[in-house]
Amino acid sequence: MKTIAFGQYYPVQSPIHRLDARIKIILAILFIVCTFLCKNILCFAALIVAALFLIFMSRLPLGTVLRSIRPLIFIMIFTAVLNLFWTTGETPLFEWWRIRIYEEGIYSAVFMVVRIIVLVLGTGLFLTYTTTPIALTDGIESLLSPLRVIRVPVHEFAMMMTIALRFIPTLSEETGKIMNAQKARGVDFSEGGLIRRAKALVPILIPLFVSSFRRADELAMAMECRCYRGGKGRTRMTVPHLHARDFVALVVMVAFGAGILYLNRLGIGYSVP
Amino acid sequence: MATLTLEQVSYVYNPRTPFAVEALDDVSLTVRDGRVTGIIGHTGSGKSTLVQLLNGLEKPSSGRILLDGEDIWARPKEMKKIRHRVGLVMQYPEYQLFEETVRADIAFGPRNMGLSEEEIAVRIDEAAAFVGLELSLLDKSPFDLSGGEKRRAAVAGVMAMRPEVLVLDEPAAGLDPRGRDTILQGIRRYADATGSTVVIVSHSMEDMAAYCDDIIVMAHAKVYLSGTRDEVFAHADALASVGLDVPQITKLAQLLRARGVELPQGIYTVQAALEALRPLFQ
Amino acid sequence: MAQPFIHTKDLWYSYREDDAHSTPVLRGISLDIARGEYVAILGHNGSGKSTLAKLFNAILEPDSGELTVAGTDLASPELTEDEIFALRREVGMVFQNPDNQLVATIVEEDVAFGPENLGVPSAQIRARVDAALAAVGMSEYAGSEPHRLSGGQKQRVAIAGILAMQPSCMIFDESTAMLDPKGRREVIETFERLNREQGITVLTITHYMNEAARADRVIVIDDGRVLMDGTPREVFANTEALLAAGLDVPQCTALVHALRREGVALTGEPITTEECAELICRALEVQ
C-alpha cells in the first residue's frame, strides 16, 4: 500500500506535543510577536537560544526541522541582499561605484535572516509538527468561538476544515487512479507544449469533479442520517482541559517576551529601527 | 494475438523504507495467446499490482515482462505503443467517463491512437455491439446512463482500441447479477470474435468458472496455482486452504465426497454437478 | 398483536425528473417488519429497493400510502424536523461507499460524530464510542486514520458510528457491494451479531443471493412491487420467478431444482450446503 505523506505532523511524544492546541496557537502568536520585538544582537542571540530550546523540547530530528526552512532560502537571500544594500549608516565599510555597504547593513541583513528562520521554526514547532490537523482545527474553533456572537460561522468553518482534511488523501488516491485509467487510454501527460498539456488535464478534471460532487452528495446524506444539524446543541467527546503545564508554558513565553523588551532597552550594539 | 510472459517479476512498494511491502515475489507466469485467463486472489495477494505491471503503469522492481517475447521496458519512451497493445480497464472504470456523449467517450482512446474518423466510427459500433450497448444510448451523456450501462461504455472505450491483450480489473464489481452477466458475456464475446488475449482479475470463483479458459491463483504475492480451468478447480481443497471462496457447488461436492458419495474432482458448475449425480440416481 | 416496527401499506413514490415528468419507482408496497427481525430486501439495480430504504429513514417522502416507522407516521404532512431526527437516531443507515460516510480524520472521532450531534454529555460519548468500537471489533484501530483502513474495516467503523447513537434498527443499503469477499464477510458477521446479541432490527438491502439466504426473512422487490415475501426457503423455491426478476438463486437450490426436474424425488428446500448434502445423501440411501 502506498502511504501518502500528509501534513507535517511528526508523531512522537514530547512536552510540546502534549500541550493543549489552543495554548500552542497562542504561544505561536506570542513567539511571532517576540521575533518582531527583537532589535539588537542580544535579543537575537536570545531568540536563537529559544529556537534551539524548542527544537530540543519537541524531540524532533534536527534534519526534519531544518528541512522546513529550505523552501524559504530564496526569500531569505532576497531580504538579506535588500537589507545589505539599502541600509545606510555612518561610515561605509566598502564602496564600489554606487554601492556602499555599511556595518549597519550587515547587522540588519543577518537579523532579518535570523528572524525569518526563527519565525518559520517557531510556528512549525508549535503548530504543524507537534499538533495533529484535527487538534489544530478544534483549537482554532475553540479560540474563535466568541466570534459566534457576531454571527461568524465558526463551527461550519471548522467542519469544512475537518472534512477537507478527511478527503484530501481519498481524492489524491482517486486522482492517481483516474490518471492511470486515462493513461491506459493513450493520454500522455508529459508530451507537447503547454496548451496540449493543459488539454490533457480535461479527462482528469471532469471525472474528478463529477466524483467529488457525488461524494459531497453522499456525505451530506450520511451526515444527515447521523443527525447532524449544524453546531447548535452539539457536544464534543473530548473536551480539552488545560493542565498546569499549559499555564507554565504560557508564563515562560510571557517572561521571554518581557526579557526581550528588557534586552532592547540595554541598547548594546546596533539596534534595528 | 499476443502472449504475455512474466519472468521472475518482483514488485516492492516503498522500497528501502520501513514501510516496504512486497506485493509480488518472484512471479513467473504466462498468459496464453487467444485465451481468456482469470487471475484470482484476495485483496493484497498481489493481483492488482500485477494488473498495473502488465501494461507498464508500474515498473517491476526486478524481473522482466515480455509481450510476444519482447521486454516491454526495453524502450521506455515507447511505452505509449505498449499501452495501445495491452489495453487496461481499471476497477470501477465508469469513473473515467468524461466526454459529452457516450460515442465521444468511446472514441477517446482510438483518437489518441491517431486513427482516421471512418475507422473510429467503425470501432465504436463494433465495441458497442460487443458489450451490448444499444445504439440509441451512444448519443446520450455518459452521466445519464445506469450503473451497468456506464460500466459497459467504459469497457467499450478500451475495446475500441482493439488491444492485442485486454486486461480487466474486477469488471463486474458491484453490479447486480444481470449487470454482471451482461458485462462478462460481452467480454467473452469480444474474446471469441477477435481472438484477442483477455485477462480478467476477479475474486469471484463462480464468475471465473463460468467465463475463463485458464486460471491463475495468486496468494501471498506468489502464483499459488495455475493451469486450465479444469486443472485448477481439481484442486478445490488447495483453494479452500488459502481462504478463497470456492463455488458453493464445489463445497457441496466436497461434503458429498466426505460422506462416501462417489463424485469426480473438479465440480464447479451446477451443470457439472448435475451430470455427476445423474448416474447415481439411476 | 404488537405494533410492527415498520409498517407500509400501498406505498407509492416517484422520482420527479422535472415538473411535467415523473417516474414511479415504488408502486404500492405493503409490508410489516417486526422489532428484532433480520430481513433481506432483494432486487436488481433499479428495482426500487434502495428507494424503499431511503423512505424508511425519512430521506425521501412518500407520494401516497401509509408509512409508519418506530411509531412515527412518516406519511403525515405535519411531520416535524425534530421527529425526523428522533427517527434517524432510532433507525441508522449504512451506505454503499465506505469512503463517503466517514466524516472525521480519526476513527474514534468519527464514531463520536453521531452522539455529538445528539448532544450526549461528553463523558457518556467516550463510553459509547468504546462500546461501539468493541462491538464491531475495531477497538485497536480507534486512533487510526480512516483512509488507511480496508473497505471492510471502514464499513465496520461506519456501523460503529451508527451504533453509538444506540439505534433499535439498522438499514444496510448495499453496504457490501463494493467490498471484497473478506470485507463482505466481516460486515455480515458484524450485523448478524448485533441482531442476535443486541436485538437490533436489521434490514439488509442487497442483490447478493448468498447474503439474503442468511436472513430470517427475504422480501423480493421487482419493478417497485413486492414480488415475494417469506423465509429464504420459501423464496428460493421460486427459482424461475427469481431468475426472471434478474436475480440468482444459490447454486445448491438450482441443483436441487434441476434434479427434481429430472424426476429425482427430493423433499424440502435446502438453503445451505450442509442441508443440500444431507438431502442428497438421504435420497441416495433410499435408492
Side-chain angles (χ1 to χ4, degrees):
Chain A
M1 298 302 113
K2 257 185 240 174
T3 48
I4 299 160
F6 179 62
Q8 285 185 306
Y9 180 67
Y10 198 90
V12 286
Q13 292 286 322
S14 86
I16 298 186
H17 280 76
R18 272 193 291 274
L19 289 177
D20 185 275
R22 292 168 295 177
I23 293 296
K24 279 191 269 191
I25 295 170
I26 295 171
L27 290 176
I29 293 169
L30 288 178
F31 194 68
I32 293 170
V33 171
C34 285
T35 59
F36 282 102
L37 288 178
C38 286
K39 299 283 184 214
N40 62 28
I41 192 154
L42 279 180
C43 293
F44 280 101
L47 207 55
I48 291 171
V49 172
L52 291 173
F53 176 70
L54 280 179
I55 295 175
F56 170 73
M57 290 299 274
S58 71
R59 306 278 188 270
L60 269 114
L62 196 64
T64 311
V65 179
L66 294 181
R67 223 169 294 140
S68 68
I69 306 169
R70 212 186 312 169
L72 292 161
I73 284 180
F74 176 75
I75 294 179
M76 289 193 295
I77 292 173
F78 184 71
T79 331
V81 169
L82 269 188
N83 278 283
L84 196 60
F85 294 132
W86 262 263
T87 314
T88 50
E90 285 161 14
T91 43
L93 289 174
F94 172 84
E95 200 170 354
W96 179 74
W97 190 44
R98 296 166 82 174
I99 297 170
R100 288 194 189 93
I101 291 175
Y102 301 89
E103 192 186 335
E104 289 82 351
I106 295 175
Y107 273 120
S108 57
V110 172
F111 287 173
M112 272 324 274
V113 170
V114 171
R115 192 175 272 167
I116 293 173
I117 293 176
V118 172
L119 206 68
V120 172
L121 284 186
T123 40
L125 288 171
F126 278 123
L127 303 176
T128 50
Y129 280 123
T130 60
T131 320
T132 58
I134 188 94
L136 211 49
T137 309
D138 287 348
I140 294 170
E141 182 182 1
S142 170
L143 285 175
L144 294 181
S145 59
L147 295 182
R148 253 181 247 156
V149 181
I150 54 162
R151 295 185 170 243
V152 176
V154 177
H155 166 76
E156 283 72 13
F157 168 73
M159 184 51 84
M160 272 164 53
M161 286 273 289
T162 307
I163 291 173
L165 289 169
R166 157 74 188 82
F167 278 91
I168 285 169
T170 309
L171 288 178
S172 83
E173 199 178 314
E174 179 149 26
T175 310
K177 278 186 196 158
I178 295 173
M179 276 179 83
N180 273 348
Q182 306 298 30
K183 259 194 225 167
R185 295 212 284 168
V187 177
D188 200 326
F189 301 105
S190 56
E191 220 173 55
L194 200 63
I195 293 173
R196 219 175 131 189
R197 283 191 197 197
K199 268 176 109 177
L201 287 178
V202 173
I204 310 294
L205 292 179
I206 293 180
L208 199 59
F209 277 135
V210 171
S211 130
S212 302
F213 281 121
R214 197 194 60 245
R215 282 182 195 281
D217 231 30
E218 290 184 19
L219 184 69
M221 200 196 290
M223 285 171 72
E224 273 192 34
C225 282
R226 293 170 75 181
C227 299
Y228 180 69
R229 317 166 76 166
K232 227 176 147 194
R234 227 176 160 252
T235 48
R236 296 306 304 266
M237 173 169 65
T238 39
V239 182
H241 292 289
L242 294 181
H243 296 89
R245 57 173 178 261
D246 295 311
F247 292 108
V248 170
L250 212 52
V251 168
V252 169
M253 182 57 81
V254 170
F256 178 68
I260 295 282
L261 286 177
Y262 175 73
L263 291 175
N264 272 342
R265 291 188 55 185
L266 289 181
I268 292 168
Y270 171 74
S271 193
V272 279
Chain B
M1 283 190 287
T3 306
L4 262 175
T5 311
L6 269 69
E7 278 182 353
Q8 296 175 314
V9 168
S10 296
Y11 188 85
V12 185
Y13 282 107
N14 308 314
R16 288 180 297 278
T17 70
F19 311 106
V21 180
E22 191 154 57
L24 289 177
D25 177 15
D26 197 26
V27 169
S28 297
L29 59 85
T30 302
V31 174
R32 290 198 285 164
D33 185 16
R35 316 250 312 167
V36 177
T37 302
I39 298 181
I40 193 161
H42 276 308
T43 308
S45 63
K47 63 184 183 355
S48 290
T49 310
L50 191 59
V51 168
Q52 314 242 347
L53 290 171
L54 290 182
N55 85 334
L57 282 174
E58 298 284 348
K59 194 179 180 187
S61 308
S62 66
R64 297 199 304 162
I65 298 164
L66 307 175
L67 180 62
D68 276 339
E70 210 180 313
D71 188 347
I72 65 167
W73 284 96
R75 278 180 231 96
K77 289 220 166 116
E78 288 176 26
M79 191 46 81
K80 213 171 152 183
K81 275 188 198 147
I82 298 289
R83 296 214 179 106
H84 294 159
R85 294 177 63 196
V86 183
L88 172 63
V89 180
M90 309 249 296
Q91 239 180 80
Y92 297 102
E94 53 273 30
Y95 294 160
Q96 75 193 27
L97 300 172
F98 72 99
E99 286 279 14
E100 276 173 56
T101 64
V102 175
R103 188 186 299 279
D105 211 290
I106 298 177
F108 182 67
R111 199 158 283 149
N112 283 329
M113 295 170 74
L115 300 177
S116 71
E117 288 303 311
E118 298 84 57
E119 177 67 21
I120 291 174
V122 171
R123 290 195 176 193
I124 292 171
D125 289 351
E126 183 195 69
F130 283 135
V131 296
L133 214 54
E134 287 162 42
L135 294 179
S136 63
L137 294 177
L138 292 183
D139 294 309
K140 278 192 168 185
S141 159
F143 301 109
D144 288 339
L145 303 185
S146 77
E149 287 164 350
K150 276 186 200 166
R151 178 75 53 89
R152 280 184 269 154
V155 172
V158 179
M159 282 181 179
M161 296 169 76
R162 275 198 209 155
E164 294 162 47
V165 183
L166 177 65
V167 184
L168 304 107
D169 191 1
E170 299 280 1
L175 297 179
D176 65 0
R178 195 179 281 164
R180 176 201 66 204
D181 288 339
T182 311
I183 193 73
L184 291 174
Q185 279 159 11
I187 294 165
R188 188 72 234 193
R189 197 155 42 229
Y190 167 84
D192 293 339
T194 61
S196 300
T197 311
V198 173
V199 178
I200 303 177
V201 176
S202 171
H203 39 230
S204 164
M205 277 292 185
E206 282 160 33
D207 292 350
M208 295 283 102
Y211 294 98
C212 295
D213 305 315
D214 295 340
I215 289 175
I216 296 169
V217 181
M218 302 287 300
H220 313 299
K222 285 178 181 296
V223 172
Y224 183 71
L225 276 175
S226 76
T228 64
R229 171 172 63 172
D230 290 354
E231 285 164 5
V232 168
F233 278 99
H235 297 92
D237 306 326
L239 290 173
S241 75
V242 286
L244 279 169
D245 249 351
V246 293
Q248 194 192 19
I249 207 78
T250 312
K251 277 187 219 159
L252 175 71
Q254 285 173 336
L255 280 179
L256 288 174
R257 242 178 267 124
R259 297 181 63 159
V261 180
E262 278 178 37
L263 286 175
Q265 291 284 334
I267 288 177
Y268 47 83
T269 61
V270 175
Q271 196 55 36
L274 189 62
E275 311 273 320
L277 282 168
R278 193 183 285 134
L280 299 178
F281 278 108
Q282 273 155 9
Chain C
M1 209 182 109
Q3 202 194 358
F5 185 73
I6 295 174
H7 163 78
T8 78
K9 199 171 170 200
D10 197 27
L11 190 64
W12 284 73
Y13 179 83
S14 309
Y15 275 112
R16 271 158 285 277
E17 281 152 30
D18 49 62
D19 287 337
H21 299 86
S22 65
T23 332
V25 190
L26 298 181
R27 305 156 180 264
I29 300 267
S30 301
L31 47 87
D32 287 315
I33 292 169
R35 213 169 257 278
E37 267 195 280
Y38 172 18
V39 181
I41 297 180
L42 199 61
H44 66 83
N45 288 344
S47 60
K49 61 186 193 308
S50 284
T51 307
L52 188 60
K54 291 193 175 83
L55 283 161
F56 290 164
N57 205 0
I59 295 170
L60 301 174
E61 278 172 59
D63 293 349
S64 66
E66 294 173 19
L67 175 60
T68 311
V69 180
T72 312
D73 181 4
L74 297 183
S76 159
E78 285 116 51
L79 190 66
T80 65
E81 198 180 286
D82 285 339
E83 283 176 307
I84 291 178
F85 279 97
L87 171 87
R88 288 188 181 152
R89 191 205 64 76
E90 190 87 13
V91 180
M93 188 125 158
V94 179
F95 294 91
Q96 181 177 31
N97 192 326
D99 273 320
N100 300 352
Q101 44 191 325
L102 303 181
V103 185
T105 48
I106 301 288
V107 165
E108 62 176 13
E109 292 275 345
D110 188 83
V111 177
F113 182 73
E116 287 177 344
N117 292 335
L118 296 172
V120 174
S122 301
Q124 288 178 32
I125 298 181
R126 183 81 254 173
R128 283 191 186 200
V129 168
D130 292 344
L133 281 172
V136 301
M138 287 293 289
S139 298
E140 59 177 308
Y141 295 95
S144 300
E145 294 164 65
H147 69 95
R148 295 193 194 278
L149 304 178
S150 73
Q153 289 173 332
K154 282 182 205 165
Q155 282 303 50
R156 277 149 68 200
V157 172
I159 296 175
I162 301 296
L163 209 53
M165 301 202 298
Q166 302 185 335
S168 55
C169 172
M170 289 178 88
I171 302 176
F172 294 85
D173 188 3
E174 302 201 42
S175 309
T176 59
M178 293 183 76
L179 306 179
D180 61 2
K182 184 165 168 276
R184 216 172 277 164
R185 220 164 20 239
E186 286 170 18
V187 169
I188 295 170
E189 280 166 7
T190 303
F191 68 60
E192 286 183 348
R193 201 170 51 241
L194 295 176
N195 174 258
R196 218 168 36 236
E197 290 170 8
Q198 305 195 13
I200 291 175
T201 312
V202 168
L203 259 67
T204 171
I205 290 158
T206 181
H207 49 242
Y208 293 112
M209 208 52 48
N210 300 340
E211 284 176 28
R214 300 168 67 126
D216 299 333
R217 175 176 166 199
V218 179
I219 297 169
V220 182
I221 305 283
D222 187 42
D223 199 20
R225 296 188 180 87
V226 175
L227 184 68
M228 289 173 224
D229 182 351
T231 62
R233 217 170 291 279
E234 289 161 2
V235 166
F236 293 134
N238 303 306
T239 315
E240 278 75 24
L242 284 170
L243 292 175
L247 297 165
D248 282 337
V249 288
Q251 286 184 320
C252 281
T253 314
L255 176 68
V256 168
H257 277 259
L259 284 169
R260 219 174 263 155
R261 249 197 319 269
E262 300 200 351
V264 178
L266 293 166
T267 43
E269 289 297 337
I271 294 294
T272 67
T273 330
E274 289 75 16
E275 286 169 2
C276 185
E278 180 67 35
L279 189 68
I280 291 173
C281 282
R282 242 187 294 128
L284 284 170
E285 277 163 29
V286 171
Q287 286 202 330

